[in-house]
Amino acid sequence: MSGRGEYGAGRSHGVQSSGTRRLRGAAALLLSAATGLGLATFSGKLTGNPFTARAQELTGAAIAVDRAGSGTGDTVAAFDSSSAGMRDTGHAASPLPVVADDHAPFDMAGERRRVGPAPGAALAMHAEPAPFALQADVPAEPAVGRGAPETGTGTATPGAASGNAATPATPAPAAATPGAAHPTAASVPDAAAPGATVPARLTEMIGNQLIRFTPNVGEQQALAAFYGARGYQPVFTGGKGIAPLGQIALDQFAASAVEGLNPADYLVPALPASPSDTQLAEMELRLAATTLLYARHVQSGRFDPKIISKDVDPNPTVPDPAAVLATVSTAPNARAAFESFAPQYDEYRLLKTQLARLMTEGQAVSHAAIPPGPSLRPGDNDPRVPLLRARLGIGGAPEDSVYDPMLVDAVREFQRLSGQSADGIVGRGTLAALNAGASGDRLHDIVANMERWRWVPHDVAPVYVMVNIPEYMVRIVVNEQAVHETRVVVGKPENQTPIMSENMQYAVFNPSWNVPPGIIRNEMLPKLMADPYALERQGIDVVRNGRIIDPGSVNWSRGAQGYSFRQAPGERNALGRMKFMFPNKHAVYLHDTPSRSLFSRDRRAFSHGCVRVHEPLAFAEALFAVGSPGEGWSQQRLSRLVGGNEKSLPLKQRFPVHLVYFTTYVDGTGQLVTREDIYGTNAATKAILGLDGTRRVADRGAAVRPR
């Protein structure tokens, strides 16, 4: 079977062993020192804004319990992860097996160890809270834009964490389309009563003015059908002002920063003290249209992710606008209905909690950049040491330029939290991470990663496989708990593993490798021109018209057109002993590899796009335990399939495989950690959203800065 198989091997490096370590108390602030904070996206005053209570809810701070405001008398308590059925830590909690003799910690899981001087350093670095506020220079009307593409529309039902299911809207009559006249709604019994002519005004505006409220054709049709089905009676307004549902919507828009959104996009001009019925109708449609915009943004994102590159190919679940209106207008708890549109994955909500904490604290730490130079090793004397001490909050005299053990420990903690080898050596990678933190970009990284969570299918499957590309890890997740995890090797920057989701269907044992055209053209043809038998020595056959031919009989300077290349099953096969198939247009899959030494490296971007899995038999056992439960596919039984001809083993139950790209996440110890942006996708996300300091253009479909 063709695909982006793997070809070639790398040299083995030492690896760090596993275990579990937790940074306590003030040590949680160390990553703030590592990556800095940025609040430039939002400026102004926080005090008195609805965001304050929402941020306090998410952080668990003591706040007054406020009313849901939907007329039910329901109360909303402070956000509590355990009562929401949510874990306090991310997936990466289980220990990983040792793959080398080195006993340094591996990745995010490791043995407990004493807290070094770095936590104390973090306390010294903690800035006084600065006020957080919303943008001051905002337009008078909401920035209504296209956001995620209209194709691939999904349902907008509450997520798994929300227990309030909405009753579907009554089917709209065929005549309820934009531009159609609706004379039955224009008849009002008492035109003198407050708001009495609002239905008539709504009829007129829906008939010929909907484009003023949203350019999205699907949303225009949904608005027309929704109000037509209810006889053009308002739902967000009532009498001479805002109805309870309208106030909940306004509160949600104003507090949208807690979802990593920009409140300026959802501003609705206030009603005058004594509004006319025309103004009430206008407010009604503006609130309804902005609700649709908000639901689309928070559920499926603010731009089409495919504009980043051909390898960014997810299919976000765009909410059905008719279902959105039905949900918010009929749910017993309207606030919960609004919150159901956000991603319902635990990891998203953990990031949301971290975002609220940073916003509430108002942290904004900045540091002087540390100049480049030779690698700094323990015991070295270097004039950059005072800057390094200041960067990590380690005290010392200005003239103290010795890289002493206390500073080395602080550097090791920094390296661990930023996903590097905790060797205490300040080389180019560590120096770049230290200086990246000086830009105050930590908050922006959280927002960009929350945005990418919207690219994952909205419905949380009870079982799924998730490969986090920058983390070089794969997990099998059951009911939002990781039941198996292991290291992976992913694609090189020039051969990126795509961001996508498809269903796992079967495994193949003793696979053949049909070499993809790109590898033939770029890697194999030059070898054949130099030595026609170079590939034969690697067990790769040249095939023409279904028959193996002598590669020495071909003039390879004319190209490889008409020839195919196949590697038979065996120990040298680039796919190893097995591959795990989720058929997709990118022809990528998870598979074994003969180049197992690469799993010992911290940075594991070496493949041609497919994902190589460490200890594939253990992964297969866990996969079939959830995909074919009760059939007893143990490692011992599976190993009997290894050897001989190619064999296919289907799964009885299929489930999604999500290839995702999260550079900032909460790990198994509850720490917020960052990983290298190996493909530049995080930087591209921030640029499109305007988090690099420029005004966001994503919603308007303007040209996006190329990567």
Side-chain angles (χ1 to χ4, degrees), residues 481-509:
Q481 298 288 332
V483 298
H484 183 83
E485 64 177 4
T486 191
R487 305 174 182 89
V488 296
V489 171
V490 301
K492 296 175 285 188
E494 61 269 27
N495 301 109
Q496 297 179 13
T497 297
I499 299 172
M500 53 162 286
S501 295
E502 282 294 349
N503 285 330
M504 181 71 76
Q505 297 186 16
Y506 61 97
V508 177
F509 293 82

PDB file of all heavy atoms in Angstrom, residues 481-509:
ATOM      1  N   GLN A 481      -9.523  10.196  29.377  1.00  0.00           N
ATOM      2  CA  GLN A 481      -8.400   9.728  30.167  1.00  0.00           C
ATOM      3  C   GLN A 481      -7.458   8.946  29.253  1.00  0.00           C
ATOM      4  O   GLN A 481      -7.903   8.055  28.518  1.00  0.00           O
ATOM      5  CB  GLN A 481      -8.863   8.824  31.316  1.00  0.00           C
ATOM      6  CG  GLN A 481      -9.764   9.495  32.330  1.00  0.00           C
ATOM      7  CD  GLN A 481      -9.016  10.488  33.212  1.00  0.00           C
ATOM      8  OE1 GLN A 481      -7.820  10.342  33.450  1.00  0.00           O
ATOM      9  NE2 GLN A 481      -9.721  11.494  33.699  1.00  0.00           N
ATOM     10  N   ALA A 482      -6.161   9.277  29.291  1.00  0.00           N
ATOM     11  CA  ALA A 482      -5.192   8.561  28.471  1.00  0.00           C
ATOM     12  C   ALA A 482      -4.952   7.174  29.064  1.00  0.00           C
ATOM     13  O   ALA A 482      -4.549   7.045  30.218  1.00  0.00           O
ATOM     14  CB  ALA A 482      -3.884   9.339  28.401  1.00  0.00           C
ATOM     15  N   VAL A 483      -5.226   6.140  28.278  1.00  0.00           N
ATOM     16  CA  VAL A 483      -5.013   4.768  28.746  1.00  0.00           C
ATOM     17  C   VAL A 483      -3.709   4.192  28.216  1.00  0.00           C
ATOM     18  O   VAL A 483      -3.247   3.152  28.691  1.00  0.00           O
ATOM     19  CB  VAL A 483      -6.193   3.861  28.348  1.00  0.00           C
ATOM     20  CG1 VAL A 483      -7.482   4.350  28.989  1.00  0.00           C
ATOM     21  CG2 VAL A 483      -6.346   3.775  26.820  1.00  0.00           C
ATOM     22  N   HIS A 484      -3.122   4.855  27.231  1.00  0.00           N
ATOM     23  CA  HIS A 484      -1.817   4.424  26.714  1.00  0.00           C
ATOM     24  C   HIS A 484      -1.162   5.623  26.051  1.00  0.00           C
ATOM     25  O   HIS A 484      -1.821   6.419  25.380  1.00  0.00           O
ATOM     26  CB  HIS A 484      -1.964   3.291  25.692  1.00  0.00           C
ATOM     27  CG  HIS A 484      -0.655   2.766  25.190  1.00  0.00           C
ATOM     28  ND1 HIS A 484       0.080   1.824  25.871  1.00  0.00           N
ATOM     29  CD2 HIS A 484       0.069   3.076  24.079  1.00  0.00           C
ATOM     30  CE1 HIS A 484       1.194   1.550  25.204  1.00  0.00           C
ATOM     31  NE2 HIS A 484       1.204   2.306  24.103  1.00  0.00           N
ATOM     32  N   GLU A 485       0.139   5.760  26.227  1.00  0.00           N
ATOM     33  CA  GLU A 485       0.887   6.818  25.561  1.00  0.00           C
ATOM     34  C   GLU A 485       2.288   6.333  25.266  1.00  0.00           C
ATOM     35  O   GLU A 485       2.834   5.478  25.978  1.00  0.00           O
ATOM     36  CB  GLU A 485       0.950   8.089  26.424  1.00  0.00           C
ATOM     37  CG  GLU A 485       1.683   7.928  27.730  1.00  0.00           C
ATOM     38  CD  GLU A 485       1.768   9.234  28.507  1.00  0.00           C
ATOM     39  OE1 GLU A 485       1.186  10.237  28.064  1.00  0.00           O
ATOM     40  OE2 GLU A 485       2.432   9.231  29.549  1.00  0.00           O
ATOM     41  N   THR A 486       2.862   6.842  24.204  1.00  0.00           N
ATOM     42  CA  THR A 486       4.224   6.479  23.858  1.00  0.00           C
ATOM     43  C   THR A 486       4.818   7.536  22.936  1.00  0.00           C
ATOM     44  O   THR A 486       4.104   8.384  22.389  1.00  0.00           O
ATOM     45  CB  THR A 486       4.273   5.088  23.196  1.00  0.00           C
ATOM     46  OG1 THR A 486       5.629   4.656  23.092  1.00  0.00           O
ATOM     47  CG2 THR A 486       3.651   5.110  21.797  1.00  0.00           C
ATOM     48  N   ARG A 487       6.125   7.470  22.764  1.00  0.00           N
ATOM     49  CA  ARG A 487       6.833   8.424  21.909  1.00  0.00           C
ATOM     50  C   ARG A 487       6.556   8.139  20.437  1.00  0.00           C
ATOM     51  O   ARG A 487       6.295   6.999  20.050  1.00  0.00           O
ATOM     52  CB  ARG A 487       8.346   8.348  22.153  1.00  0.00           C
ATOM     53  CG  ARG A 487       8.770   8.547  23.590  1.00  0.00           C
ATOM     54  CD  ARG A 487      10.277   8.287  23.722  1.00  0.00           C
ATOM     55  NE  ARG A 487      10.719   8.412  25.091  1.00  0.00           N
ATOM     56  CZ  ARG A 487      10.744   7.428  25.969  1.00  0.00           C
ATOM     57  NH1 ARG A 487      10.354   6.221  25.614  1.00  0.00           N
ATOM     58  NH2 ARG A 487      11.171   7.629  27.197  1.00  0.00           N
ATOM     59  N   VAL A 488       6.676   9.184  19.626  1.00  0.00           N
ATOM     60  CA  VAL A 488       6.570   9.020  18.177  1.00  0.00           C
ATOM     61  C   VAL A 488       7.645   9.855  17.500  1.00  0.00           C
ATOM     62  O   VAL A 488       8.209  10.789  18.083  1.00  0.00           O
ATOM     63  CB  VAL A 488       5.179   9.437  17.639  1.00  0.00           C
ATOM     64  CG1 VAL A 488       4.095   8.530  18.194  1.00  0.00           C
ATOM     65  CG2 VAL A 488       4.879  10.895  17.927  1.00  0.00           C
ATOM     66  N   VAL A 489       7.926   9.503  16.271  1.00  0.00           N
ATOM     67  CA  VAL A 489       8.739  10.307  15.358  1.00  0.00           C
ATOM     68  C   VAL A 489       7.780  10.880  14.325  1.00  0.00           C
ATOM     69  O   VAL A 489       6.949  10.154  13.764  1.00  0.00           O
ATOM     70  CB  VAL A 489       9.832   9.459  14.686  1.00  0.00           C
ATOM     71  CG1 VAL A 489      10.524  10.249  13.572  1.00  0.00           C
ATOM     72  CG2 VAL A 489      10.857   8.977  15.707  1.00  0.00           C
ATOM     73  N   VAL A 490       7.871  12.183  14.056  1.00  0.00           N
ATOM     74  CA  VAL A 490       6.964  12.838  13.110  1.00  0.00           C
ATOM     75  C   VAL A 490       7.748  13.372  11.917  1.00  0.00           C
ATOM     76  O   VAL A 490       8.971  13.219  11.830  1.00  0.00           O
ATOM     77  CB  VAL A 490       6.183  13.973  13.808  1.00  0.00           C
ATOM     78  CG1 VAL A 490       5.373  13.427  14.967  1.00  0.00           C
ATOM     79  CG2 VAL A 490       7.127  15.086  14.287  1.00  0.00           C
ATOM     80  N   GLY A 491       7.051  14.018  11.012  1.00  0.00           N
ATOM     81  CA  GLY A 491       7.658  14.481   9.778  1.00  0.00           C
ATOM     82  C   GLY A 491       8.641  15.620   9.966  1.00  0.00           C
ATOM     83  O   GLY A 491       8.515  16.446  10.872  1.00  0.00           O
ATOM     84  N   LYS A 492       9.612  15.655   9.086  1.00  0.00           N
ATOM     85  CA  LYS A 492      10.567  16.763   9.057  1.00  0.00           C
ATOM     86  C   LYS A 492       9.850  18.047   8.620  1.00  0.00           C
ATOM     87  O   LYS A 492       8.781  17.981   7.996  1.00  0.00           O
ATOM     88  CB  LYS A 492      11.695  16.441   8.069  1.00  0.00           C
ATOM     89  CG  LYS A 492      12.534  15.238   8.449  1.00  0.00           C
ATOM     90  CD  LYS A 492      13.553  14.897   7.367  1.00  0.00           C
ATOM     91  CE  LYS A 492      12.888  14.227   6.187  1.00  0.00           C
ATOM     92  NZ  LYS A 492      13.875  13.703   5.206  1.00  0.00           N
ATOM     93  N   PRO A 493      10.415  19.211   8.924  1.00  0.00           N
ATOM     94  CA  PRO A 493       9.766  20.455   8.487  1.00  0.00           C
ATOM     95  C   PRO A 493       9.501  20.510   6.986  1.00  0.00           C
ATOM     96  O   PRO A 493       8.513  21.103   6.554  1.00  0.00           O
ATOM     97  CB  PRO A 493      10.763  21.541   8.924  1.00  0.00           C
ATOM     98  CG  PRO A 493      11.437  20.953  10.123  1.00  0.00           C
ATOM     99  CD  PRO A 493      11.575  19.484   9.811  1.00  0.00           C
ATOM    100  N   GLU A 494      10.344  19.861   6.197  1.00  0.00           N
ATOM    101  CA  GLU A 494      10.111  19.849   4.751  1.00  0.00           C
ATOM    102  C   GLU A 494       9.162  18.726   4.332  1.00  0.00           C
ATOM    103  O   GLU A 494       8.734  18.682   3.166  1.00  0.00           O
ATOM    104  CB  GLU A 494      11.444  19.729   3.993  1.00  0.00           C
ATOM    105  CG  GLU A 494      12.231  18.470   4.280  1.00  0.00           C
ATOM    106  CD  GLU A 494      13.212  18.635   5.436  1.00  0.00           C
ATOM    107  OE1 GLU A 494      12.969  19.473   6.330  1.00  0.00           O
ATOM    108  OE2 GLU A 494      14.230  17.902   5.425  1.00  0.00           O
ATOM    109  N   ASN A 495       8.845  17.810   5.225  1.00  0.00           N
ATOM    110  CA  ASN A 495       7.880  16.725   4.967  1.00  0.00           C
ATOM    111  C   ASN A 495       6.948  16.630   6.165  1.00  0.00           C
ATOM    112  O   ASN A 495       6.964  15.658   6.904  1.00  0.00           O
ATOM    113  CB  ASN A 495       8.600  15.393   4.756  1.00  0.00           C
ATOM    114  CG  ASN A 495       9.579  15.411   3.605  1.00  0.00           C
ATOM    115  OD1 ASN A 495      10.784  15.379   3.802  1.00  0.00           O
ATOM    116  ND2 ASN A 495       9.056  15.465   2.384  1.00  0.00           N
ATOM    117  N   GLN A 496       6.107  17.614   6.333  1.00  0.00           N
ATOM    118  CA  GLN A 496       5.352  17.752   7.566  1.00  0.00           C
ATOM    119  C   GLN A 496       4.271  16.687   7.725  1.00  0.00           C
ATOM    120  O   GLN A 496       3.604  16.311   6.764  1.00  0.00           O
ATOM    121  CB  GLN A 496       4.701  19.136   7.632  1.00  0.00           C
ATOM    122  CG  GLN A 496       5.692  20.283   7.663  1.00  0.00           C
ATOM    123  CD  GLN A 496       5.031  21.640   7.697  1.00  0.00           C
ATOM    124  OE1 GLN A 496       3.835  21.759   7.944  1.00  0.00           O
ATOM    125  NE2 GLN A 496       5.806  22.686   7.457  1.00  0.00           N
ATOM    126  N   THR A 497       4.111  16.222   8.962  1.00  0.00           N
ATOM    127  CA  THR A 497       2.949  15.414   9.302  1.00  0.00           C
ATOM    128  C   THR A 497       1.731  16.323   9.263  1.00  0.00           C
ATOM    129  O   THR A 497       1.719  17.369   9.912  1.00  0.00           O
ATOM    130  CB  THR A 497       3.113  14.805  10.700  1.00  0.00           C
ATOM    131  OG1 THR A 497       4.236  13.917  10.694  1.00  0.00           O
ATOM    132  CG2 THR A 497       1.860  14.040  11.110  1.00  0.00           C
ATOM    133  N   PRO A 498       0.693  15.971   8.515  1.00  0.00           N
ATOM    134  CA  PRO A 498      -0.444  16.882   8.364  1.00  0.00           C
ATOM    135  C   PRO A 498      -1.287  16.972   9.632  1.00  0.00           C
ATOM    136  O   PRO A 498      -1.334  16.046  10.444  1.00  0.00           O
ATOM    137  CB  PRO A 498      -1.246  16.265   7.216  1.00  0.00           C
ATOM    138  CG  PRO A 498      -0.913  14.810   7.276  1.00  0.00           C
ATOM    139  CD  PRO A 498       0.521  14.740   7.727  1.00  0.00           C
ATOM    140  N   ILE A 499      -1.972  18.100   9.786  1.00  0.00           N
ATOM    141  CA  ILE A 499      -2.966  18.281  10.838  1.00  0.00           C
ATOM    142  C   ILE A 499      -4.305  17.852  10.247  1.00  0.00           C
ATOM    143  O   ILE A 499      -4.782  18.450   9.277  1.00  0.00           O
ATOM    144  CB  ILE A 499      -3.010  19.745  11.306  1.00  0.00           C
ATOM    145  CG1 ILE A 499      -1.658  20.159  11.879  1.00  0.00           C
ATOM    146  CG2 ILE A 499      -4.113  19.959  12.334  1.00  0.00           C
ATOM    147  CD1 ILE A 499      -1.557  21.645  12.199  1.00  0.00           C
ATOM    148  N   MET A 500      -4.927  16.821  10.827  1.00  0.00           N
ATOM    149  CA  MET A 500      -6.122  16.256  10.220  1.00  0.00           C
ATOM    150  C   MET A 500      -6.771  15.273  11.188  1.00  0.00           C
ATOM    151  O   MET A 500      -6.206  14.941  12.229  1.00  0.00           O
ATOM    152  CB  MET A 500      -5.771  15.511   8.925  1.00  0.00           C
ATOM    153  CG  MET A 500      -4.670  14.486   9.118  1.00  0.00           C
ATOM    154  SD  MET A 500      -4.566  13.261   7.821  1.00  0.00           S
ATOM    155  CE  MET A 500      -5.992  12.268   8.202  1.00  0.00           C
ATOM    156  N   SER A 501      -7.967  14.795  10.840  1.00  0.00           N
ATOM    157  CA  SER A 501      -8.676  13.770  11.605  1.00  0.00           C
ATOM    158  C   SER A 501      -9.320  12.787  10.638  1.00  0.00           C
ATOM    159  O   SER A 501      -9.935  13.192   9.656  1.00  0.00           O
ATOM    160  CB  SER A 501      -9.757  14.391  12.497  1.00  0.00           C
ATOM    161  OG  SER A 501      -9.204  15.211  13.503  1.00  0.00           O
ATOM    162  N   GLU A 502      -9.146  11.501  10.923  1.00  0.00           N
ATOM    163  CA  GLU A 502      -9.820  10.433  10.179  1.00  0.00           C
ATOM    164  C   GLU A 502     -10.056   9.271  11.136  1.00  0.00           C
ATOM    165  O   GLU A 502      -9.558   9.288  12.264  1.00  0.00           O
ATOM    166  CB  GLU A 502      -8.991   9.973   8.975  1.00  0.00           C
ATOM    167  CG  GLU A 502      -9.054  10.901   7.770  1.00  0.00           C
ATOM    168  CD  GLU A 502     -10.422  10.979   7.115  1.00  0.00           C
ATOM    169  OE1 GLU A 502     -11.294  10.153   7.468  1.00  0.00           O
ATOM    170  OE2 GLU A 502     -10.627  11.838   6.249  1.00  0.00           O
ATOM    171  N   ASN A 503     -10.760   8.244  10.681  1.00  0.00           N
ATOM    172  CA  ASN A 503     -11.100   7.113  11.540  1.00  0.00           C
ATOM    173  C   ASN A 503     -10.102   5.972  11.396  1.00  0.00           C
ATOM    174  O   ASN A 503      -9.778   5.551  10.275  1.00  0.00           O
ATOM    175  CB  ASN A 503     -12.501   6.590  11.222  1.00  0.00           C
ATOM    176  CG  ASN A 503     -13.582   7.500  11.771  1.00  0.00           C
ATOM    177  OD1 ASN A 503     -13.395   8.167  12.786  1.00  0.00           O
ATOM    178  ND2 ASN A 503     -14.719   7.538  11.102  1.00  0.00           N
ATOM    179  N   MET A 504      -9.636   5.466  12.556  1.00  0.00           N
ATOM    180  CA  MET A 504      -8.791   4.277  12.564  1.00  0.00           C
ATOM    181  C   MET A 504      -9.643   3.078  12.159  1.00  0.00           C
ATOM    182  O   MET A 504     -10.738   2.868  12.694  1.00  0.00           O
ATOM    183  CB  MET A 504      -8.208   4.063  13.961  1.00  0.00           C
ATOM    184  CG  MET A 504      -7.281   2.864  14.081  1.00  0.00           C
ATOM    185  SD  MET A 504      -5.695   3.107  13.235  1.00  0.00           S
ATOM    186  CE  MET A 504      -4.864   4.205  14.404  1.00  0.00           C
ATOM    187  N   GLN A 505      -9.124   2.253  11.203  1.00  0.00           N
ATOM    188  CA  GLN A 505      -9.934   1.159  10.669  1.00  0.00           C
ATOM    189  C   GLN A 505      -9.300  -0.221  10.829  1.00  0.00           C
ATOM    190  O   GLN A 505      -9.996  -1.183  11.135  1.00  0.00           O
ATOM    191  CB  GLN A 505     -10.238   1.410   9.192  1.00  0.00           C
ATOM    192  CG  GLN A 505     -11.058   2.667   8.942  1.00  0.00           C
ATOM    193  CD  GLN A 505     -11.469   2.813   7.494  1.00  0.00           C
ATOM    194  OE1 GLN A 505     -11.417   1.863   6.707  1.00  0.00           O
ATOM    195  NE2 GLN A 505     -11.874   4.011   7.107  1.00  0.00           N
ATOM    196  N   TYR A 506      -7.991  -0.333  10.622  1.00  0.00           N
ATOM    197  CA  TYR A 506      -7.380  -1.661  10.679  1.00  0.00           C
ATOM    198  C   TYR A 506      -5.869  -1.532  10.841  1.00  0.00           C
ATOM    199  O   TYR A 506      -5.285  -0.439  10.709  1.00  0.00           O
ATOM    200  CB  TYR A 506      -7.705  -2.467   9.425  1.00  0.00           C
ATOM    201  CG  TYR A 506      -7.215  -1.862   8.123  1.00  0.00           C
ATOM    202  CD1 TYR A 506      -6.011  -2.265   7.545  1.00  0.00           C
ATOM    203  CD2 TYR A 506      -7.968  -0.895   7.453  1.00  0.00           C
ATOM    204  CE1 TYR A 506      -5.570  -1.717   6.345  1.00  0.00           C
ATOM    205  CE2 TYR A 506      -7.541  -0.346   6.255  1.00  0.00           C
ATOM    206  CZ  TYR A 506      -6.341  -0.761   5.707  1.00  0.00           C
ATOM    207  OH  TYR A 506      -5.908  -0.209   4.527  1.00  0.00           O
ATOM    208  N   ALA A 507      -5.241  -2.666  11.148  1.00  0.00           N
ATOM    209  CA  ALA A 507      -3.787  -2.743  11.232  1.00  0.00           C
ATOM    210  C   ALA A 507      -3.293  -3.748  10.197  1.00  0.00           C
ATOM    211  O   ALA A 507      -3.998  -4.706   9.849  1.00  0.00           O
ATOM    212  CB  ALA A 507      -3.351  -3.166  12.628  1.00  0.00           C
ATOM    213  N   VAL A 508      -2.093  -3.516   9.692  1.00  0.00           N
ATOM    214  CA  VAL A 508      -1.469  -4.419   8.727  1.00  0.00           C
ATOM    215  C   VAL A 508      -0.164  -4.916   9.327  1.00  0.00           C
ATOM    216  O   VAL A 508       0.676  -4.114   9.747  1.00  0.00           O
ATOM    217  CB  VAL A 508      -1.208  -3.718   7.383  1.00  0.00           C
ATOM    218  CG1 VAL A 508      -0.484  -4.660   6.421  1.00  0.00           C
ATOM    219  CG2 VAL A 508      -2.509  -3.234   6.762  1.00  0.00           C
ATOM    220  N   PHE A 509       0.004  -6.230   9.363  1.00  0.00           N
ATOM    221  CA  PHE A 509       1.227  -6.836   9.851  1.00  0.00           C
ATOM    222  C   PHE A 509       2.070  -7.303   8.671  1.00  0.00           C
ATOM    223  O   PHE A 509       1.543  -7.738   7.656  1.00  0.00           O
ATOM    224  CB  PHE A 509       0.904  -7.999  10.793  1.00  0.00           C
ATOM    225  CG  PHE A 509       0.252  -7.557  12.081  1.00  0.00           C
ATOM    226  CD1 PHE A 509      -1.109  -7.308  12.125  1.00  0.00           C
ATOM    227  CD2 PHE A 509       1.008  -7.351  13.224  1.00  0.00           C
ATOM    228  CE1 PHE A 509      -1.715  -6.881  13.302  1.00  0.00           C
ATOM    229  CE2 PHE A 509       0.419  -6.918  14.404  1.00  0.00           C
ATOM    230  CZ  PHE A 509      -0.948  -6.676  14.445  1.00  0.00           C
TER     231      PHE A 509
END
